[in-house]
Amino acid sequence: MPKLTPDEKQPGMTSLEPIEWSQGAIRLLDQTRLPWEEVFLELRTPQEVVQAIREMRVRGAPAIGVTAAYGMALAAGSLGKGGRASLLVSLRAASREMAAARPTAVNLRWAVERMMRAAEKVAPDGDMGASLLAEAQLVHRETLESDLRMAALGALLIQPGSTVLTHCNTGALATGGYGTALGVIRRAWEEGRVKGVVATETRPWLQGARLTTWELTRLGIPFTLIVDSAAGYLMSRGSVQCAIVGADRIAANGDVANKIGTCSLAMLARENGIPFYVAAPFSTVDMSTASGEDIPIEERPSEEVTHIRGTPTALEGTPVRNFAFDVTPSRYIGAIITDRGVVRAPYEESLRRLVGSG
Ligand code: MRU
């Protein structure tokens, strides 16, 4: 069982610790094994961290960022005592490898760049390993704090009595904290605003079916699981009052890259007059990317589409495109909930106002 710790924000409840630093290693809840098995991995080298991120043993943009930050601490700890310049060169190489593990989630790049800036500030006779561990722990703590701010702000957007649709998994598993979109839903549930949740299955990796339902069950929040293609029908029947998702990268104009299928949900929500919200920490906003067209979209192995848990569902050799993410144009997004505030269109201006306000 994952270690359960008292939840300050919700006395009497316990919270999930999917990422922890423990005795010189990263203790990581393996998300590929959920919901059937709750198995923790112990990562001791930066190479193991890169592999865990690539294989999606940890996934979700902020959770990848937190893990990579600890990964940089592992890299610093393993470098020994060489001269400062050579330590920084080796760390830079580790940071590049880590950042390339998954290309779309900008939190990964953000976290390793922050760790590099911290490394550059360590005094020549300072302890690089200890300093980077302290910085990684700060990244982790700040992730939880920003999740809680988003939850408080976002919950106010949900009308009492709503059934809320969400996609992929955006809870504690996806951030190592409280969650982004699912954190908002969780807080709104505690405030009595949410009647229930509709979770999309999220083909092909089934983050909704496997992970979101697992988290909602632990939290005692009522939910219904649907196949991705059922969302439009449910919306047209009036069974959904609001949709809320996370983000892997938000461009300066408010276009949002998120789990494949998000763009279709946003269009369906617009057609059915349902508000569509995005919740993401400001570290997911990439002001250096002008629009969604400039966001690199990860493509993953074809077996994720042609097989389900090792069982083929298509003929061998079937040609496949397996885009992990899509881009939702900002015109479909009613509001973006960040830890620095809730912003609305025109996003170019409203996001720019948040720069430097953290
Ligand atoms: O491929 P994944 O599972 O890492 O994709 C995750 C998502 O798309 C989430 O919606 C996003 O990272 C925001 S989660 C806090």
Side-chain angles (χ1 to χ4, degrees):
M1 272 293 286
K3 188 173 145 211
L4 301 176
T5 54
D7 187 339
E8 298 154 16
K9 296 283 156 184
Q10 206 180 356
M13 282 288 289
T14 51
S15 61
L16 177 67
E17 295 286 348
I19 308 166
E20 259 189 311
W21 180 265
S22 172
Q23 298 173 343
I26 307 171
R27 199 165 172 272
L28 200 69
L29 180 57
D30 185 346
Q31 298 192 34
T32 64
R33 312 272 288 266
L34 289 171
W36 302 283
E37 291 176 295
E38 294 166 14
V39 174
F40 280 87
L41 306 170
E42 279 192 2
L43 311 180
R44 295 189 178 276
T45 66
Q47 293 75 22
E48 286 173 352
V49 172
V50 170
Q51 195 181 347
I53 293 173
R54 271 207 202 110
E55 292 175 354
M56 293 176 65
R57 295 185 186 280
V58 56
R59 33 77 34 213
I64 296 171
V66 169
T67 307
Y70 282 122
M72 290 293 290
L74 281 176
S78 69
L79 289 177
K81 285 275 172 238
R84 187 170 182 278
S86 75
L87 284 185
L88 287 175
V89 169
S90 308
L91 266 183
R92 176 65 64 196
S95 79
R96 273 197 292 270
E97 216 192 315
M98 206 103 49
R102 294 197 70 192
T104 304
V106 78
N107 306 63
L108 178 54
R109 191 188 76 195
W110 170 86
V112 296
E113 281 175 0
R114 174 168 165 172
M115 295 301 287
M116 277 314 297
R117 285 197 299 277
E120 278 152 13
K121 282 192 207 137
V122 176
D125 58 347
D127 183 338
M128 189 72 90
S131 302
L132 288 207
L133 176 57
E135 186 70 9
Q137 285 168 329
L138 192 59
V139 169
H140 196 171
R141 197 163 57 245
E142 287 176 5
T143 301
L144 171 63
E145 287 164 5
S146 72
D147 282 3
L148 292 171
R149 277 197 296 278
M150 273 185 283
L153 292 171
L156 300 175
L157 300 181
I158 298 179
Q159 295 308 309
S162 294
T163 296
V164 183
L165 182 140
T166 192
H167 189 48
C168 196
N169 170 265
T170 60
L173 289 171
T175 69
Y178 189 83
T180 57
L182 205 59
V184 170
I185 292 171
R186 178 176 172 183
R187 177 52 50 84
W189 161 257
E190 288 163 13
E191 292 176 1
R193 294 168 181 272
V194 169
K195 196 160 88 189
V197 176
V198 172
T200 55
E201 192 181 27
T202 320
R203 278 280 293 150
W205 217 75
L206 303 178
Q207 289 93 329
R210 295 188 304 105
L211 308 177
T212 299
T213 62
W214 184 78
E215 287 202 47
L216 289 170
T217 302
R218 293 177 87 258
L219 293 167
I221 302 176
F223 64 87
T224 310
L225 176 67
I226 59 167
V227 295
D228 299 328
S229 46
Y233 181 57
L234 248 77
M235 288 184 190
S236 71
R237 283 168 44 129
S239 308
V240 170
Q241 281 70 50
C242 161
I244 175 160
V245 301
D248 283 75
R249 192 183 299 216
I250 301 176
N253 71 346
D255 291 350
V256 167
N258 191 50
K259 181 52 54 192
I260 191 78
T262 301
C263 179
S264 329
L265 290 173
M267 291 173 175
L268 289 168
R270 168 63 52 86
E271 177 64 23
N272 288 286
I274 293 166
F276 185 88
Y277 301 127
V278 172
F282 201 73
S283 52
T284 304
V285 178
D286 179 8
M287 296 303 283
S288 69
T289 296
S291 81
E293 281 171 29
D294 308 310
I295 299 177
I297 298 296
E298 175 184 3
E299 287 198 55
R300 296 192 53 84
S302 56
E303 291 70 35
E304 291 182 355
V305 177
T306 57
H307 291 68
I308 294 183
R309 294 184 70 74
T311 304
T313 56
L315 284 178
E316 207 182 323
T318 298
V320 166
R321 295 297 296 272
N322 183 14
F323 297 103
F325 303 98
D326 62 21
V327 175
T328 301
S330 61
R331 64 180 179 279
Y332 292 106
I333 299 165
I336 300 178
I337 303 149
T338 81
D339 49 325
R340 298 187 183 183
V342 175
V343 293
R344 295 183 187 266
Y347 289 105
E348 230 142 52
E349 286 166 32
S350 56
L351 287 171
R352 201 173 324 113
R353 275 200 297 275
L354 296 186
V355 176
S357 71

